[in-house]
Amino acid sequence: NAGCLGNCTYCKTKMSRGKVVSYPIDTIIERALESAREGVCQIELASEDMGAYGIDIGTNIAELLKRLSDALLRDYPGVMLRTGMTNPPFIMQHVDEIIEVLNRPNVHAFMHIPVQSGSDQVLRAMRREYTVAEFSYLADRLKAGVPELFLLTDIICGFPTESEQDWEETMALCKKYQFQGIHISQFYARPGTSAARLKPLKSHIGKDRYKELADLVTSYDRNEHLLGREERVWFGDTEQERSKGVNAQGQTVGRTKSFAKVLVPRNDSLLGRSAIV
């Protein structure tokens, strides 16, 4: 699906993409099966807000995920499905069905749910349409139902109304959940948005908060629980930019069922396949 149902004060997605427009489930399944026939081993559902899928055509994201994973498991059991970005409000009512899908053998245990701030005051100013408690309820349910869930989130540093207390609440939330990944950005006033009319914070504040959060993310080992384990890994990419020494020819990149990133010496024959590592 494309478009958005939100009205965030800092974002221009709705201005550029409009309201949600969803592709029919059968069309998505057909395209996914076509990609599987072409040799891919991973399929990602991409959209501005996956959780809002189907609202405009009388269905929902849980129905899509169940039918799509069923079709892939039937015809291409070696192909993995990955969910896309979803804002909290529209995924809440489907959380039990989402948990069931994420535990299926052909679905990565992965969710990307942007929280943006750990402060209710800032969330209201952003017009995010949920509270920290509601996000926490969703995160807790998902982590309890999918123990090795890869939970990715987004944080905006230095929103104009963000006080020091607000930032401390955001840091506390990030420390509590130790997200497997955080997309961190400094607030940018996009022309034409209502947030652009707010008085900005001093420029160093956003930079300092960005660094503080980035330092937190690198302070813990997100994959410590995998040490010494053998896992099936689905390989779909090659990484060359950071390859040095014995890996000067590059590394082949894969993901486990729980979406942990795995790098092995470059072996192009692995692309589009899975292997035990």
Side-chain angles (χ1 to χ4, degrees):
N1 58 296
C4 181
L5 291 177
N7 294 287
C8 300
T9 58
Y10 56 85
C11 183
K12 297 192 77 169
T13 296
K14 199 166 187 177
M15 296 180 192
S16 60
R17 301 289 180 89
K19 293 184 178 180
V20 168
V21 178
S22 304
Y23 293 99
I25 290 179
D26 288 341
T27 300
I28 296 173
I29 292 175
E30 181 181 347
R31 181 67 186 97
L33 294 178
E34 180 184 345
S35 296
R37 284 193 295 271
E38 293 170 353
V40 305
C41 67
Q42 295 169 303
I43 291 173
E44 177 186 353
L45 291 176
S47 73
E48 278 82 26
D49 187 353
M50 184 194 73
Y53 172 81
I55 288 177
D56 57 319
I57 58 173
T59 186
N60 59 68
I61 186 57
E63 184 66 18
L64 169 61
L65 289 173
K66 288 187 288 187
R67 287 187 54 190
L68 180 54
S69 62
D70 283 344
L72 289 171
L73 193 59
R74 179 191 67 232
D75 295 346
Y76 298 94
V79 174
M80 294 295 288
L81 177 63
R82 172 189 161 186
T83 61
M85 191 275 285
T86 178
N87 285 311
F90 301 106
I91 205 74
M92 295 273 192
Q93 59 188 306
H94 306 299
V95 63
D96 290 331
E97 292 168 291
I98 297 296
I99 288 171
E100 188 271 321
V101 169
L102 293 176
N103 281 309
R104 293 185 177 193
N106 66 331
V107 182
H108 283 297
F110 170 93
M111 288 293 287
H112 178 190
I113 309 177
V115 65
Q116 304 297 9
S117 175
S119 160
D120 283 337
Q121 182 279 127
V122 174
L123 292 177
R124 285 192 296 271
M126 291 178 169
R127 209 179 297 149
R128 288 292 289 171
E129 300 178 348
Y130 57 86
T131 64
V132 174
E134 288 169 336
F135 172 85
S136 297
Y137 168 82
L138 179 59
D140 290 342
R141 288 287 302 278
L142 287 167
K143 288 170 75 70
V146 189
E148 293 194 359
L149 177 71
F150 188 113
L151 184 56
L152 174 67
T153 196
D154 299 3
I155 296 289
I156 295 175
C157 308
F159 190 79
T161 67
E162 183 179 77
S163 68
E164 184 62 35
Q165 177 62 36
D166 295 325
W167 179 246
E168 289 176 4
E169 291 173 6
T170 296
M171 287 297 296
L173 185 76
C174 294
K175 290 174 183 177
K176 173 183 176 182
Y177 287 107
Q178 291 197 342
F179 298 102
Q180 277 72 17
I182 303 179
H183 290 161
I184 312 171
S185 63
Q186 294 181 57
F187 172 75
Y188 171 73
R190 290 175 172 81
T193 62
S194 56
R197 297 192 294 269
L198 297 173
K199 182 180 179 180
L201 300 178
K202 293 181 179 180
S203 61
H204 73 88
I205 295 177
K207 293 178 182 178
D208 291 346
R209 291 175 180 175
Y210 180 101
K211 183 180 184 304
E212 183 181 0
L213 184 52
D215 288 345
L216 172 68
V217 172
T218 58
S219 70
Y220 55 88
D221 184 352
R222 293 162 286 180
N223 296 319
E224 185 177 7
H225 64 287
L226 293 174
L227 289 175
R229 281 167 48 174
E230 286 191 343
E231 293 276 332
R232 181 164 294 280
V233 178
W234 286 262
F235 292 97
D237 200 3
T238 301
E239 188 172 280
Q240 205 155 4
E241 290 182 1
R242 291 179 289 177
S243 300
K244 298 178 181 178
V246 295
N247 294 314
Q249 297 302 310
Q251 295 170 290
T252 301
V253 184
R255 296 281 183 171
T256 66
K257 166 72 166 72
S258 59
F259 212 66
K261 185 177 182 179
V262 177
L263 300 172
V264 299
R266 183 168 179 172
N267 182 351
D268 291 348
S269 67
L270 286 173
L271 295 174
R273 298 172 51 201
S274 67
I276 299 295
V277 176

